[in-house]
């Protein structure tokens, strides 16, 4: 599985007074098994981009080639494409609707036309993958759960379809710090076990630094930077100009350097930052 975005452009309200270019000649490629972060200021085009990846929006121009198939082709079955691409919107728990947790998680697989036995196997697997107990929860109402648990069940409903690409748009929005951390680790473990492409949109630079292999930076509808987390966060000045930041540990090192101390600013987390500080002190 791979994703190629070529010259993608999308215009809202084209030809009208409120015309807005949401995507402007966007180009990038995602390889099989990559965990990709997409960052950008509000209005940079992130959500519009995500909605193109499973055909919810059609581009003005350009191509979206998924595993060799251009999904912008009018003869392509989007139903088949959406079997392979799971999209988790912000606050997915608002989409829960069934009377039991098992039925809610089963909704997607049932729509794939799978046998009852296969559906049940997938439901059990998905609930386990999100760190919850199937036997304890299967007959409970999803509306009895806490906010964080509801979100896990909503994600389980997408995981149960076994997507080859899992897209998450700000999956930790509104969660307390403990639930935030647990959910991101859960997503990462799912990525490792399913060996899928995972695409994470987040405003949290610490999360992007800790979990992703590749980062795509969106600004004013363009993909302006693409690279590893270390490569992207070396561009601190450019990021700040776009209303973004670097991870907290990295920012500390930049501020130390601005005090005139020669220090490596490539660290992405506290452990790496401590090593940089110790190395800098050792030079004195």
């Amino acid at each position: 599985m791979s994703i190629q975005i070529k010259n993608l452009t999308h215009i809202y309200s084209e030809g009208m007074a409120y015309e807005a270019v949401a995507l402007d000649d966007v180009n990038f490629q995602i390889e099989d098994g990559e965990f990709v972060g997409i960052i950008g200021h509000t209005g940079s085009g992130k959500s519009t981009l995500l909605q193109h990846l499973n055909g919810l929006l059609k581009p003005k121009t350009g191509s979206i080639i998924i595993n060799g198939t251009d999904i912008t082709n009018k003869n392509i079955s989007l139903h088949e494409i959406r079997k392979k691409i799971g999209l988790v919107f912000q606050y997915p728990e608002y989409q829960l609707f069934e009377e039991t947790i098992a039925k809610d998680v089963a909704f997607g697989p049932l729509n794939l036309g799978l046998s009852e036995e296969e559906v049940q196997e997938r439901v059990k697997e998905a609930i386990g993958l999100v760190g919850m107990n199937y036997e304890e929860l299967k007959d409970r109402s999803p509306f009895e759960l806490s906010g964080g648990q509801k979100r896990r069940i909503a994600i389980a409903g997408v995981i149960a379809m076994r997507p080859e690409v899992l897209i998450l748009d700000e999956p930790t929005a509104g969660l307390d710090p403990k639930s935030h951390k647990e959910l991101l680790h859960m997503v990462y473990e799912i990525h490792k076990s399913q060996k899928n492409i995972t695409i994470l949109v987040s405003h949290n630079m610490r999360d992007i630094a800790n979990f992703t292999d590749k980062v795509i930076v969106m600004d004013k509808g363009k993909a302006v930077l693409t690279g590893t987390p270390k490569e992207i966060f070396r561009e601190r000045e450019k990021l700040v100009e776009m209303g973004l930041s670097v991870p907290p540990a990295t920012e500390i090192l930049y501020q130390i350097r601005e005090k005139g101390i020669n220090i490596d600013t490539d660290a992405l987390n506290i452990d790496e930052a401590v090593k940089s500080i110790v190395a800098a002190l050792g030079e004195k």
Side-chain angles (χ1 to χ4, degrees):
M1 176 64 74
S2 64
I3 300 172
Q4 290 178 287
I5 305 296
K6 295 183 176 180
N7 310 115
L8 197 67
T9 297
H10 186 84
I11 302 173
Y12 287 116
S13 304
E14 186 176 9
M16 301 179 69
Y18 298 103
E19 177 177 301
V21 179
L23 297 176
D24 185 5
D25 196 29
V26 174
N27 293 272
F28 61 82
Q29 183 158 330
I30 297 173
E31 305 297 342
D32 189 35
E34 285 190 316
F35 196 127
V36 178
I38 299 179
I39 61 175
H41 197 270
T42 301
S44 62
K46 303 186 302 299
S47 294
T48 300
L49 175 62
L50 296 189
Q51 291 176 65
H52 279 76
L53 293 180
N54 74 343
L56 287 175
L57 291 176
K58 287 286 189 181
K60 168 70 175 176
T61 58
S63 302
I64 303 166
I65 301 169
I66 297 179
N67 219 27
T69 299
D70 186 352
I71 70 168
T72 63
N73 189 313
K74 64 181 180 180
N75 297 318
I76 292 299
S77 168
L78 288 177
H79 179 70
E80 292 301 312
I81 294 298
R82 288 167 184 159
K83 288 180 181 180
K84 300 177 181 180
I85 300 174
L87 178 54
V88 179
F89 293 101
Q90 283 191 46
Y91 303 104
E93 60 271 24
Y94 294 157
Q95 298 166 41
L96 298 172
F97 66 95
E98 285 282 8
E99 59 184 347
T100 71
I101 288 168
K103 286 183 178 180
D104 214 300
V105 177
F107 180 79
L110 283 171
N111 283 329
L112 297 179
L114 303 174
S115 68
E116 186 65 31
E117 183 180 358
E118 173 71 7
V119 170
Q120 288 304 109
E121 178 187 330
R122 289 191 180 206
V123 169
K124 289 179 182 179
E125 176 190 59
I127 291 176
L129 283 170
V130 298
M132 302 182 79
N133 187 297
Y134 171 79
E135 293 298 334
E136 289 179 4
L137 297 174
K138 62 179 181 176
D139 296 321
R140 288 180 60 186
S141 166
F143 304 106
E144 296 175 3
L145 303 176
S146 69
Q149 289 173 324
K150 285 179 183 177
R151 192 165 301 182
R152 285 173 180 255
I153 290 301
I155 293 173
V158 177
I159 297 301
M161 298 179 74
R162 294 182 182 167
E164 295 178 53
V165 180
L166 177 61
I167 304 170
L168 303 110
D169 189 359
E170 296 283 357
T172 61
L175 295 181
D176 62 78
K178 182 174 182 291
S179 297
H180 176 118
K181 182 177 180 180
E182 289 175 348
L183 187 72
L184 260 296
H185 280 281
M186 178 201 82
V187 167
Y188 187 67
E189 290 303 316
I190 290 170
H191 170 71
K192 289 199 298 183
S193 68
Q194 301 291 294
K195 296 180 173 58
N196 58 12
I197 289 174
T198 299
I199 300 173
L200 171 68
V201 172
S202 178
H203 284 95
N204 189 308
M205 298 303 127
R206 182 190 289 111
D207 294 341
I208 294 294
N210 286 341
F211 294 103
T212 66
D213 308 308
K214 178 186 289 182
V215 184
I216 298 164
V217 183
M218 297 292 296
D219 184 49
K220 299 175 183 176
K222 292 180 177 291
V224 293
L225 295 171
T226 302
T228 65
K230 282 190 184 294
E231 288 169 342
I232 294 301
F233 292 126
R234 285 174 189 150
E235 304 290 344
R236 178 183 177 235
E237 290 186 11
K238 290 181 181 178
L239 294 173
V240 171
E241 287 174 3
M242 290 183 270
L244 300 173
S245 61
V246 297
T250 314
E251 178 61 28
I252 289 169
L253 298 180
Y254 274 110
Q255 292 189 19
I256 291 173
R257 175 181 280 183
E258 287 168 0
K259 299 293 183 182
I261 298 172
N262 183 27
I263 192 167
D264 180 6
T265 58
D266 264 357
L268 297 177
N269 56 53
I270 291 297
D271 289 342
E272 292 178 1
V274 168
K275 291 178 181 178
S276 291
I277 291 170
V278 169
L281 292 173
E283 292 178 2
K284 288 183 171 286

